[in-house]
């Protein structure tokens, strides 16, 4: 996801007729360091506690608004990294290293083929952009809850289904085109 939505666009999405709830969600692909010192990619997902997109915690605890350096990690990530609740997770982005404390475990699996790691939206924005200003983008996508929203358009955005959104992610469309001819020939990659 390469979209960078301003706070104005996020507010506009939440104000669409029929929207019952909305929430910004940020995404960033980062490199993590395992307990053995290996570098592994992961999907940072920034959310706002108490809003759409907040994952259910399986063990440990939910993030609080004060947990600027706390993360919730998928059980698959914990297993593959050798880390656990209470451990420090090292993340690199923009040629900088960031330390986070693992406070909870979730069963959210993978996002864009990378293990999911959840953190507060402003923490993700800091890792992604550095110092936050009023002009710093707020989200990658806006999650919406309501009836008959798909197809709604405003000057700055269009509401699409989850399937359409996923199909338009850079790399996914090309990947799907490769699968179709292969499937017709009876092969799978």
């Amino acid at each position: 996801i390469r979209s960078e939505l301003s706070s104005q666009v996020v507010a506009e999405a939440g104000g669409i007729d029929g929207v019952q709830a909305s929430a910004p969600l940020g995404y960033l692909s980062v490199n993590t360091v395992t307990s053995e010192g290996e570098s592994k990619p992961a999907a940072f997902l920034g959310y706002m506690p108490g809003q759409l997109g907040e994952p259910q915690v399986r063990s440990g605890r939910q993030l609080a608004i004060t947990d600027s350096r706390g993360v919730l990690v998928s059980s698959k990530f914990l297993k593959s990294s050798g880390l656990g609740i209470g451990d420090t997770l090292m993340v690199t982005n923009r040629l900088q290293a960031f330390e986070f404390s693992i406070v909870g475990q979730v069963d959210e699996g993978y996002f864009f083929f990378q293990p999911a790691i959840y953190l507060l939206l402003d923490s993700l924005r800091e890792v992604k952009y550095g110092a936050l200003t009023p002009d710093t983008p707020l989200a990658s996508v806006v999650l919406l809850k309501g009836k008959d929203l798909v197809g709604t358009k405003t000057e700055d955005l269009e509401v699409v289904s989850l399937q359409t959104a996923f199909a338009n992610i850079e790399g996914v469309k090309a990947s799907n085109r490769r699968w179709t001819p292969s499937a017709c020939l009876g092969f799978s990659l």
Side-chain angles (χ1 to χ4, degrees), residues 4-185:
E4 295 185 331
L5 306 176
S6 68
S7 57
Q8 292 83 7
V9 171
V10 170
E12 182 181 344
I16 293 174
D17 286 340
V19 170
Q20 299 165 349
S22 67
L25 183 72
Y27 164 74
L28 176 64
S29 180
V30 296
N31 289 312
T32 64
V33 180
T34 68
S35 61
E36 289 84 33
E38 293 180 54
S39 180
K40 291 192 174 206
F44 252 21
L45 298 171
Y47 72 98
M48 298 179 84
Q51 294 190 11
L52 295 174
E54 180 176 39
Q56 295 294 325
V57 173
R58 182 174 149 198
S59 62
R61 64 174 178 81
Q62 191 60 264
L63 288 175
I65 292 176
T66 57
D67 283 322
S68 64
R69 286 291 180 249
V71 291
L72 305 174
V73 298
S74 71
S75 53
K76 292 179 182 188
F77 177 81
L78 287 179
K79 185 175 182 179
S80 70
S81 69
L83 298 171
I85 294 173
D87 287 344
T88 298
L89 173 67
M90 181 67 71
V91 173
T92 58
N93 188 57
R94 296 182 302 107
L95 301 175
Q96 292 184 319
F98 301 87
E99 288 187 359
F100 291 88
S101 177
I102 300 172
V103 301
Q105 176 183 344
V106 296
D107 279 332
E108 299 296 323
Y110 289 82
F111 187 81
F112 293 134
F113 317 106
Q114 299 171 325
I117 300 175
Y118 290 84
L119 69 164
L120 299 178
L121 182 58
D122 279 345
S123 298
L124 176 137
R125 293 171 67 216
E126 182 185 332
V127 171
K128 188 172 184 177
Y129 302 109
L132 301 181
T133 70
D135 294 328
T136 303
L138 181 59
S140 303
V141 298
V142 180
L143 304 176
L144 301 174
K145 180 179 178 183
K147 291 187 179 189
D148 302 320
L149 298 174
V150 174
T152 302
K153 294 181 183 181
T154 70
E155 185 177 324
D156 297 316
L157 59 94
E158 177 180 0
V159 179
V160 297
S161 69
L162 180 61
Q163 294 79 12
T164 300
F166 189 74
N168 283 291
I169 294 168
E170 183 179 332
V172 172
K173 192 177 245 181
S175 176
N176 286 342
R177 282 196 298 260
R178 281 188 295 237
W179 281 96
T180 303
S182 299
C184 292
L185 296 172

